[in-house]
Amino acid sequence: MTPHCDAKKEDIAKIVIMPGDPNRAKLIADNYLENARLVSNVRGMNVYTGTYKGVEITVMPSGMGIPSMGIYSYELFKFYDVEKIIKVGTCGAYTKDLAIGDLVLVNGSYSESTYAKVQDNVDDDIIYASDYINFYLKETAEEMGKHISIANVHSTDVFYEENDSIKENAINKYSCMATEMESFSLFHNARKFKKKASQILTVSDNLITGEKMNSIDRTKNVNDMIVIALESAIKL
Ligand code: HPA
């Protein structure tokens, strides 16, 4: 038990799928897991453990933003002995080449966030996903006939009115193709605890064209990403 999760240690699987949204965690548990049971509901962050094709999997929401993901991923790795986390979420594209609904597999997470510095005195501004998990995420997407772009992303603290010069710096410095809000603390904590983490994203906004997914599609149009994450999780 931690301040933010009252599941028993044995009720959390070694592999965790993390959407940002608690409703999406419920949707994954209801539609994809067998024998899913609610193992924690602190702050309405409903955590489910069940099986997918016979493999035990936990689905836990991260909430929005680097600090929220930082708390949950820290506790999962340190106190629950979780080995691997796959984050599923949405992102805003920084290029016209990514359309609404396209899939992105994150390579590196670039951020101005002070999370790594404040927690562990780490100055890195880019932290990488697990090559091992990414291999299976890419392979699974290919087996399903789904195109997935492998890209660096900008992990930002700002959803509205992100400063253009900050966006351009992320594009120029590390060729970031999209922006999201959680990968930096997730990848930092995975590296700190010698665990593995990756992130697969669906494009919900295009910051160049102004196109957006509506809130209903934001919740629903993510099935391919969820299946890719689950099918990869059982190979790990
Ligand atoms: N910015 C940051 N994170 C996001 C966005 C965005 O535009 N869309 C989905 N996640």
PDB file of all heavy atoms in Angstrom, residues 90-93 154 156 158-160 162 179-181 202 204-205 207 218, ligand 1:
ATOM      1  N   THR A  90      -2.729   9.895 -25.804  1.00  0.00           N
ATOM      2  CA  THR A  90      -2.900  10.695 -27.013  1.00  0.00           C
ATOM      3  C   THR A  90      -1.810  11.760 -27.070  1.00  0.00           C
ATOM      4  O   THR A  90      -1.156  12.052 -26.067  1.00  0.00           O
ATOM      5  CB  THR A  90      -4.295  11.370 -27.044  1.00  0.00           C
ATOM      6  OG1 THR A  90      -4.478  12.089 -25.826  1.00  0.00           O
ATOM      7  CG2 THR A  90      -5.397  10.347 -27.213  1.00  0.00           C
ATOM      8  N   CYS A  91      -1.621  12.296 -28.278  1.00  0.00           N
ATOM      9  CA  CYS A  91      -0.572  13.317 -28.432  1.00  0.00           C
ATOM     10  C   CYS A  91      -1.019  14.366 -29.442  1.00  0.00           C
ATOM     11  O   CYS A  91      -1.940  14.149 -30.224  1.00  0.00           O
ATOM     12  CB  CYS A  91       0.745  12.680 -28.871  1.00  0.00           C
ATOM     13  SG  CYS A  91       0.700  11.903 -30.490  1.00  0.00           S
ATOM     14  N   GLY A  92      -0.331  15.487 -29.410  1.00  0.00           N
ATOM     15  CA  GLY A  92      -0.526  16.559 -30.381  1.00  0.00           C
ATOM     16  C   GLY A  92       0.623  16.516 -31.372  1.00  0.00           C
ATOM     17  O   GLY A  92       1.784  16.516 -30.970  1.00  0.00           O
ATOM     18  N   ALA A  93       0.303  16.459 -32.676  1.00  0.00           N
ATOM     19  CA  ALA A  93       1.358  16.360 -33.696  1.00  0.00           C
ATOM     20  C   ALA A  93       1.976  17.727 -33.968  1.00  0.00           C
ATOM     21  O   ALA A  93       1.275  18.735 -34.036  1.00  0.00           O
ATOM     22  CB  ALA A  93       0.784  15.763 -34.973  1.00  0.00           C
ATOM     23  N   HIS A 154       7.992  15.593 -27.431  1.00  0.00           N
ATOM     24  CA  HIS A 154       8.205  16.657 -26.445  1.00  0.00           C
ATOM     25  C   HIS A 154       7.243  16.403 -25.296  1.00  0.00           C
ATOM     26  O   HIS A 154       6.027  16.432 -25.476  1.00  0.00           O
ATOM     27  CB  HIS A 154       7.924  17.998 -27.118  1.00  0.00           C
ATOM     28  CG  HIS A 154       8.076  19.171 -26.211  1.00  0.00           C
ATOM     29  ND1 HIS A 154       7.380  20.338 -26.393  1.00  0.00           N
ATOM     30  CD2 HIS A 154       8.858  19.366 -25.107  1.00  0.00           C
ATOM     31  CE1 HIS A 154       7.716  21.197 -25.440  1.00  0.00           C
ATOM     32  NE2 HIS A 154       8.610  20.636 -24.662  1.00  0.00           N
ATOM     33  N   THR A 156       5.639  17.816 -22.314  1.00  0.00           N
ATOM     34  CA  THR A 156       5.469  19.204 -21.885  1.00  0.00           C
ATOM     35  C   THR A 156       4.558  19.310 -20.662  1.00  0.00           C
ATOM     36  O   THR A 156       3.768  18.413 -20.396  1.00  0.00           O
ATOM     37  CB  THR A 156       4.863  20.040 -23.048  1.00  0.00           C
ATOM     38  OG1 THR A 156       4.684  21.384 -22.637  1.00  0.00           O
ATOM     39  CG2 THR A 156       3.511  19.505 -23.490  1.00  0.00           C
ATOM     40  N   VAL A 158       2.593  21.970 -20.552  1.00  0.00           N
ATOM     41  CA  VAL A 158       1.601  22.954 -20.988  1.00  0.00           C
ATOM     42  C   VAL A 158       0.749  22.398 -22.127  1.00  0.00           C
ATOM     43  O   VAL A 158       1.277  22.056 -23.190  1.00  0.00           O
ATOM     44  CB  VAL A 158       2.303  24.258 -21.436  1.00  0.00           C
ATOM     45  CG1 VAL A 158       1.310  25.252 -22.018  1.00  0.00           C
ATOM     46  CG2 VAL A 158       3.029  24.894 -20.244  1.00  0.00           C
ATOM     47  N   PHE A 159      -0.551  22.312 -21.925  1.00  0.00           N
ATOM     48  CA  PHE A 159      -1.465  21.874 -22.982  1.00  0.00           C
ATOM     49  C   PHE A 159      -1.933  23.071 -23.796  1.00  0.00           C
ATOM     50  O   PHE A 159      -1.917  23.045 -25.015  1.00  0.00           O
ATOM     51  CB  PHE A 159      -2.664  21.144 -22.360  1.00  0.00           C
ATOM     52  CG  PHE A 159      -3.612  20.560 -23.376  1.00  0.00           C
ATOM     53  CD1 PHE A 159      -3.414  19.288 -23.892  1.00  0.00           C
ATOM     54  CD2 PHE A 159      -4.717  21.291 -23.810  1.00  0.00           C
ATOM     55  CE1 PHE A 159      -4.285  18.755 -24.838  1.00  0.00           C
ATOM     56  CE2 PHE A 159      -5.591  20.764 -24.752  1.00  0.00           C
ATOM     57  CZ  PHE A 159      -5.375  19.489 -25.267  1.00  0.00           C
ATOM     58  N   TYR A 160      -2.375  24.140 -23.105  1.00  0.00           N
ATOM     59  CA  TYR A 160      -2.900  25.316 -23.812  1.00  0.00           C
ATOM     60  C   TYR A 160      -1.808  26.367 -23.998  1.00  0.00           C
ATOM     61  O   TYR A 160      -1.032  26.634 -23.089  1.00  0.00           O
ATOM     62  CB  TYR A 160      -4.055  25.946 -23.016  1.00  0.00           C
ATOM     63  CG  TYR A 160      -5.265  25.046 -22.964  1.00  0.00           C
ATOM     64  CD1 TYR A 160      -5.634  24.414 -21.780  1.00  0.00           C
ATOM     65  CD2 TYR A 160      -6.024  24.805 -24.111  1.00  0.00           C
ATOM     66  CE1 TYR A 160      -6.732  23.574 -21.736  1.00  0.00           C
ATOM     67  CE2 TYR A 160      -7.121  23.964 -24.074  1.00  0.00           C
ATOM     68  CZ  TYR A 160      -7.472  23.356 -22.895  1.00  0.00           C
ATOM     69  OH  TYR A 160      -8.551  22.518 -22.856  1.00  0.00           O
ATOM     70  N   GLU A 162       1.013  26.662 -25.669  1.00  0.00           N
ATOM     71  CA  GLU A 162       2.450  26.403 -25.550  1.00  0.00           C
ATOM     72  C   GLU A 162       3.187  27.418 -26.436  1.00  0.00           C
ATOM     73  O   GLU A 162       2.832  27.616 -27.596  1.00  0.00           O
ATOM     74  CB  GLU A 162       2.743  24.971 -26.007  1.00  0.00           C
ATOM     75  CG  GLU A 162       4.157  24.540 -25.753  1.00  0.00           C
ATOM     76  CD  GLU A 162       4.362  23.091 -26.172  1.00  0.00           C
ATOM     77  OE1 GLU A 162       4.449  22.834 -27.375  1.00  0.00           O
ATOM     78  OE2 GLU A 162       4.405  22.237 -25.276  1.00  0.00           O
ATOM     79  N   THR A 179       3.771  16.075 -29.232  1.00  0.00           N
ATOM     80  CA  THR A 179       3.879  16.464 -27.830  1.00  0.00           C
ATOM     81  C   THR A 179       2.851  15.713 -26.987  1.00  0.00           C
ATOM     82  O   THR A 179       1.747  15.432 -27.451  1.00  0.00           O
ATOM     83  CB  THR A 179       3.719  17.997 -27.670  1.00  0.00           C
ATOM     84  OG1 THR A 179       3.803  18.341 -26.293  1.00  0.00           O
ATOM     85  CG2 THR A 179       2.404  18.503 -28.220  1.00  0.00           C
ATOM     86  N   GLU A 180       3.265  15.364 -25.789  1.00  0.00           N
ATOM     87  CA  GLU A 180       2.388  14.693 -24.818  1.00  0.00           C
ATOM     88  C   GLU A 180       2.850  15.154 -23.439  1.00  0.00           C
ATOM     89  O   GLU A 180       3.706  16.015 -23.348  1.00  0.00           O
ATOM     90  CB  GLU A 180       2.414  13.170 -25.018  1.00  0.00           C
ATOM     91  CG  GLU A 180       3.797  12.535 -24.957  1.00  0.00           C
ATOM     92  CD  GLU A 180       4.382  12.495 -23.580  1.00  0.00           C
ATOM     93  OE1 GLU A 180       3.718  11.904 -22.699  1.00  0.00           O
ATOM     94  OE2 GLU A 180       5.484  13.037 -23.345  1.00  0.00           O
ATOM     95  N   MET A 181       2.355  14.547 -22.357  1.00  0.00           N
ATOM     96  CA  MET A 181       2.596  15.171 -21.063  1.00  0.00           C
ATOM     97  C   MET A 181       3.054  14.234 -19.943  1.00  0.00           C
ATOM     98  O   MET A 181       3.063  14.634 -18.779  1.00  0.00           O
ATOM     99  CB  MET A 181       1.332  15.938 -20.621  1.00  0.00           C
ATOM    100  CG  MET A 181       0.867  16.928 -21.668  1.00  0.00           C
ATOM    101  SD  MET A 181      -0.531  17.952 -21.186  1.00  0.00           S
ATOM    102  CE  MET A 181       0.259  19.096 -20.079  1.00  0.00           C
ATOM    103  N   THR A 202      -1.744   7.788 -29.774  1.00  0.00           N
ATOM    104  CA  THR A 202      -2.616   8.055 -30.922  1.00  0.00           C
ATOM    105  C   THR A 202      -2.706   9.572 -31.075  1.00  0.00           C
ATOM    106  O   THR A 202      -2.905  10.284 -30.073  1.00  0.00           O
ATOM    107  CB  THR A 202      -4.032   7.483 -30.673  1.00  0.00           C
ATOM    108  OG1 THR A 202      -3.922   6.080 -30.429  1.00  0.00           O
ATOM    109  CG2 THR A 202      -4.942   7.709 -31.869  1.00  0.00           C
ATOM    110  N   SER A 204      -4.251  12.906 -31.376  1.00  0.00           N
ATOM    111  CA  SER A 204      -5.601  13.444 -31.132  1.00  0.00           C
ATOM    112  C   SER A 204      -5.716  14.907 -31.558  1.00  0.00           C
ATOM    113  O   SER A 204      -6.824  15.423 -31.688  1.00  0.00           O
ATOM    114  CB  SER A 204      -5.960  13.336 -29.648  1.00  0.00           C
ATOM    115  OG  SER A 204      -5.053  14.092 -28.877  1.00  0.00           O
ATOM    116  N   ASP A 205      -4.586  15.565 -31.730  1.00  0.00           N
ATOM    117  CA  ASP A 205      -4.580  16.980 -32.125  1.00  0.00           C
ATOM    118  C   ASP A 205      -3.455  17.169 -33.136  1.00  0.00           C
ATOM    119  O   ASP A 205      -2.419  16.503 -33.026  1.00  0.00           O
ATOM    120  CB  ASP A 205      -4.249  17.892 -30.924  1.00  0.00           C
ATOM    121  CG  ASP A 205      -5.186  17.669 -29.758  1.00  0.00           C
ATOM    122  OD1 ASP A 205      -4.926  16.757 -28.949  1.00  0.00           O
ATOM    123  OD2 ASP A 205      -6.180  18.394 -29.673  1.00  0.00           O
ATOM    124  N   LEU A 207      -1.137  20.270 -34.120  1.00  0.00           N
ATOM    125  CA  LEU A 207      -0.874  21.650 -33.726  1.00  0.00           C
ATOM    126  C   LEU A 207      -0.505  22.523 -34.920  1.00  0.00           C
ATOM    127  O   LEU A 207      -0.431  23.739 -34.788  1.00  0.00           O
ATOM    128  CB  LEU A 207       0.207  21.697 -32.635  1.00  0.00           C
ATOM    129  CG  LEU A 207      -0.338  21.408 -31.224  1.00  0.00           C
ATOM    130  CD1 LEU A 207      -0.747  19.973 -31.029  1.00  0.00           C
ATOM    131  CD2 LEU A 207       0.652  21.790 -30.162  1.00  0.00           C
ATOM    132  N   ARG A 218     -11.804  10.844 -28.662  1.00  0.00           N
ATOM    133  CA  ARG A 218     -10.617  10.794 -27.804  1.00  0.00           C
ATOM    134  C   ARG A 218     -10.685   9.569 -26.893  1.00  0.00           C
ATOM    135  O   ARG A 218      -9.692   8.980 -26.533  1.00  0.00           O
ATOM    136  CB  ARG A 218     -10.558  12.043 -26.914  1.00  0.00           C
ATOM    137  CG  ARG A 218      -9.365  12.906 -27.184  1.00  0.00           C
ATOM    138  CD  ARG A 218      -9.517  14.217 -26.430  1.00  0.00           C
ATOM    139  NE  ARG A 218      -9.409  15.285 -27.397  1.00  0.00           N
ATOM    140  CZ  ARG A 218      -8.305  16.005 -27.591  1.00  0.00           C
ATOM    141  NH1 ARG A 218      -7.240  15.817 -26.879  1.00  0.00           N
ATOM    142  NH2 ARG A 218      -8.264  16.921 -28.515  1.00  0.00           N
TER     143      ARG A 218
HETATM  144  N1  HPA B   1      -0.412  18.870 -26.111  1.00  0.00           N
HETATM  145  C1  HPA B   1       0.047  18.099 -25.127  1.00  0.00           C
HETATM  146  N2  HPA B   1      -0.407  16.902 -24.888  1.00  0.00           N
HETATM  147  C2  HPA B   1      -1.347  16.421 -25.675  1.00  0.00           C
HETATM  148  C3  HPA B   1      -1.870  17.167 -26.728  1.00  0.00           C
HETATM  149  C4  HPA B   1      -1.381  18.460 -26.958  1.00  0.00           C
HETATM  150  O1  HPA B   1      -1.798  19.165 -27.864  1.00  0.00           O
HETATM  151  N3  HPA B   1      -2.845  16.418 -27.328  1.00  0.00           N
HETATM  152  C5  HPA B   1      -2.879  15.237 -26.646  1.00  0.00           C
HETATM  153  N4  HPA B   1      -1.993  15.239 -25.650  1.00  0.00           N
END
